[in-house]
Amino acid sequence: MSPATHGFLSPSGVEIAFLLVGLATFGAALVTVTTKQLVHAALWLVVTLGGLAVEYLLLTAEFIAWVQVLIYLGSVVVLLLFGLMLTKAPIGRSPDADSGNRPVALAVAVVAAVSLVWVVVDAFRTTWIDLDGPAQGSTEVTGHFLFRNWVLPFEALSVLLLAALVGAIVLSRKRGATAKSSASKNSTAARNSRSGKEQR
């Protein structure tokens, strides 16, 4: 008997789960970029990143999945929420979160998505991941690729996150100083008006 060949018309349970989780993650990502509430966007981002972690687990890349949970869910989202709190962003619906350039933004997003899909499909056109074979996302293999081929993007991302945190702190201090100066001006004007009334 000839061995059974793998094809798109005979998906396994893992592939079906991968597709369903991918659709749920895609829906959460759409809600993230379309909601007008910043806090809700951050929470939906948690769902999106969690879905990506599940996808990594289904691809037998357990180490990458736990890095996704620890770094992105445990650090990046907390940093975003921390920045929102420091900048005193509105909790409810924010009209500033909506833009009048939706057609241009949609066109750029579509072009970027098509380009990324084309690059990935062209790079892995004949590559199949054997889910029953040895794990490909081991610590040794991941560390080799990360710290030899992707060390500069990795360090650039850490600098970017640090700059975002410092920028949030600077913005919060400027707003606090502005509020204090306006409060002091109001109190000085009130004292002057009281003294003028007393002299009369």
Side-chain angles (χ1 to χ4, degrees), residues 48 77 85 144 171 189:
T48 304
V77 175
M85 289 186 294
H144 176 78
L171 288 176

Side-chain angles (χ1 to χ4, degrees), residues 31-111:
V31 176
T32 301
V33 299
T34 55
T35 182
K36 295 182 180 179
Q37 298 189 11
L38 297 179
V39 178
H40 289 181
L43 296 178
W44 278 107
L45 182 62
V46 172
V47 179
T48 304
L49 297 177
L52 290 177
V54 175
E55 298 283 60
Y56 289 137
L57 283 177
L58 293 175
L59 291 174
T60 66
E62 292 85 2
F63 176 72
I64 305 257
W66 287 116
V67 168
Q68 176 81 12
V69 172
L70 293 176
I71 301 300
Y72 286 94
L73 288 178
S75 300
V76 174
V77 175
V78 172
L79 178 62
L80 290 175
L81 293 174
F82 188 61
L84 290 177
M85 289 186 294
L86 281 178
T87 54
K88 298 179 180 179
I91 301 299
R93 296 175 66 87
S94 177
D96 297 335
D98 195 7
S99 175
N101 298 324
R102 284 190 176 185
V104 177
L106 181 61
V108 172
V110 169
V111 170

Side-chain angles (χ1 to χ4, degrees), residues 4-194:
T5 58
H6 184 84
F8 289 103
L9 298 179
S10 59
S12 62
V14 175
E15 293 173 344
I16 294 175
F18 185 87
L19 179 61
L20 294 178
V21 174
L23 291 175
T25 304
F26 180 72
L30 285 180
V31 176
T32 301
V33 299
T34 55
T35 182
K36 295 182 180 179
Q37 298 189 11
L38 297 179
V39 178
H40 289 181
L43 296 178
W44 278 107
L45 182 62
V46 172
V47 179
T48 304
L49 297 177
L52 290 177
V54 175
E55 298 283 60
Y56 289 137
L57 283 177
L58 293 175
L59 291 174
T60 66
E62 292 85 2
F63 176 72
I64 305 257
W66 287 116
V67 168
Q68 176 81 12
V69 172
L70 293 176
I71 301 300
Y72 286 94
L73 288 178
S75 300
V76 174
V77 175
V78 172
L79 178 62
L80 290 175
L81 293 174
F82 188 61
L84 290 177
M85 289 186 294
L86 281 178
T87 54
K88 298 179 180 179
I91 301 299
R93 296 175 66 87
S94 177
D96 297 335
D98 195 7
S99 175
N101 298 324
R102 284 190 176 185
V104 177
L106 181 61
V108 172
V110 169
V111 170
V114 171
S115 301
L116 288 175
V117 170
W118 181 80
V119 168
V120 171
V121 170
D122 184 67
F124 302 98
R125 186 183 303 275
T126 58
T127 302
W128 288 91
I129 297 176
D130 187 8
L131 298 178
D132 297 327
Q136 299 295 322
S138 62
T139 307
E140 180 181 359
V141 175
T142 304
H144 176 78
F145 281 103
L146 181 62
F147 293 104
R148 178 166 294 186
N149 300 330
W150 300 96
V151 61
L152 289 180
F154 184 78
E155 295 297 332
L157 179 61
S158 62
V159 173
L160 178 63
L161 294 176
L162 179 61
L165 180 60
V166 173
I169 295 175
V170 170
L171 288 176
S172 65
R173 294 193 61 170
K174 284 184 177 180
R175 291 186 178 183
T178 304
K180 288 182 180 179
S181 63
S182 62
S184 62
K185 289 180 181 179
N186 292 334
S187 62
T188 304
R191 289 177 183 175
N192 292 335
S193 63
R194 289 178 184 175

